[in-house]
Amino acid sequence: MPAAELPAWVANWRPDPAWTVWRERTTGPDDLAFVFAEVEHRHWMSSIEIFLTEHQAGLPPMDVHDCRFGQWLDGPGRSRYGWRSEFPGLVSLHERVHALALELVDLHAQGRQDDVVDRLKELHVLRGELISKLRDLLGRGAQLIGAARRV
């Protein structure tokens, strides 16, 4: 970019809304694990997609309890949010993500790459649902904790 265009670009630049989702939330040290859980899930999804589309070795953990997000769900997530009515739905959605990923890995092993590419869209939809539910869980959890502190 030419130097003369830089001031206008800086003045008009806006961050992607996904980058600012945490800005308005009050989070504590315990919630750092929550942020890492989302990041780890995104990384796992990227690893699956790379394995399926670029034919690279290095399949990530496929068992729901072995991936880092599953470990968070089974440990800190369950102890901090397991009492919430939404938590079992998050666990179920995580299981659906893994089940679909396993199906895609099987299709990939059979050489059915067109089917893999078509069904990756389903995996992306599930990823979005899972992240949305995860963020709702923290957002509403923080609201409930804040309300309890005010009482």
Side-chain angles (χ1 to χ4, degrees):
M1 169 182 303
E5 294 178 19
L6 189 60
W9 179 84
V10 168
N12 293 313
W13 182 84
R14 299 291 175 262
D16 185 302
W19 300 350
T20 61
V21 71
W22 294 97
R23 180 175 45 204
E24 303 300 323
R25 297 191 183 192
T26 304
T27 57
D30 292 339
D31 296 318
L32 190 56
F34 187 94
V35 174
F36 288 138
E38 179 179 334
V39 170
E40 290 291 348
H41 176 69
R42 288 180 180 277
H43 176 73
W44 183 87
M45 291 287 292
S46 294
S47 297
I48 288 289
E49 191 161 357
I50 288 168
F51 176 83
L52 294 171
T53 59
E54 297 178 19
H55 310 288
Q56 293 184 6
L59 188 62
M62 296 304 291
D63 184 274
V64 295
H65 303 289
D66 290 341
C67 73
R68 297 234 179 164
F69 184 79
Q71 292 170 358
W72 177 83
L73 275 177
D74 292 343
R78 184 168 308 282
S79 64
R80 184 164 177 131
Y81 300 101
W83 59 273
R84 300 271 309 283
S85 61
E86 301 96 328
F87 191 79
L90 184 62
V91 171
S92 176
L93 189 53
H94 180 239
E95 290 169 353
R96 287 176 46 210
V97 166
H98 274 262
L100 178 55
L102 283 168
E103 288 178 36
L104 295 177
V105 167
D106 188 45
L107 290 171
H108 177 71
Q110 295 172 30
R112 297 173 53 190
Q113 202 59 27
D114 290 341
D115 292 332
V116 169
V117 171
D118 287 343
R119 303 231 18 232
L120 270 174
K121 296 170 192 157
E122 294 175 47
L123 197 60
H124 293 164
V125 168
L126 288 179
R127 175 190 59 205
E129 288 177 25
L130 188 136
I131 289 172
S132 178
K133 286 186 182 297
L134 184 64
R135 289 178 179 174
D136 289 346
L137 186 69
L138 176 63
R140 197 155 163 265
Q143 291 169 0
L144 292 173
I145 291 167
R149 287 181 182 154
R150 287 190 294 271
V151 172

